[in-house]
Amino acid sequence: QVQLVESGGGLVHPGGPQRLSCAASRNIFGITVFSIKDLGWYRQAPGNQRELVAAISPDGSTNYTDSVKDRFTISRVNAKTMVYLQMNNLKPEDTTVYYCNKVPYNDRYWGEGTEVTVSA
């Protein structure tokens, strides 16, 4: 089965940068998903609805939700089954737990997420 592990979160001051990483299991399932599927970063604060903030196709085409456009950049390295989210000019409202998954998401793939806290 596909297993995803997010990392790179932490405490960041407003305006600062942070880079999140997502590693997929290096078995046939993870390698296949990272080769042919759209991938994305989601965020979900406790009690809030899950939101897709960035997505990337196997060909590198990207899409962002309006609140992170021009600040976040999603990228992928299929050979390493890795997907990244470079976050710049972070704002307090970006504070939440971030998850990676395919797009659309598969409920069996959710990892533990990585928490980003933006505070002075």
Side-chain angles (χ1 to χ4, degrees):
Q1 191 54 264
V2 175
Q3 294 177 309
L4 303 173
V5 179
E6 301 92 343
S7 63
L11 177 62
V12 189
H13 294 297
Q18 192 75 197
R19 190 192 192 208
L20 306 183
S21 299
C22 171
S25 52
R26 292 196 58 79
N27 54 27
I28 189 63
F29 306 105
I31 293 171
T32 299
V33 167
F34 270 66
S35 295
I36 66 175
K37 301 296 184 181
D38 292 343
L39 303 175
W41 283 94
Y42 301 79
R43 63 187 180 188
Q44 183 175 25
N48 288 19
Q49 203 74 26
R50 181 187 299 113
E51 176 188 26
L52 176 64
V53 299
I56 184 169
S57 72
D59 295 330
S61 178
T62 60
N63 236 78
Y64 303 91
T65 191
D66 287 342
S67 63
V68 308
K69 285 182 178 178
D70 302 319
R71 297 192 298 121
F72 291 9
T73 302
I74 186 172
S75 61
R76 64 194 291 171
V77 181
N78 294 338
K80 295 184 177 182
T81 60
M82 297 287 291
V83 59
Y84 306 95
L85 185 67
Q86 178 64 53
M87 306 181 295
N88 297 319
N89 192 25
L90 283 164
K91 305 175 180 180
E93 50 263 44
D94 295 319
T95 296
T96 188
V97 180
Y98 288 76
Y99 304 84
C100 61
N101 209 314
K102 61 183 292 292
V103 182
Y105 62 82
N106 187 318
D107 273 330
R108 297 177 300 171
Y109 292 178
W110 295 117
E112 297 300 317
T114 186
E115 184 172 0
V116 174
T117 302
V118 185
S119 176

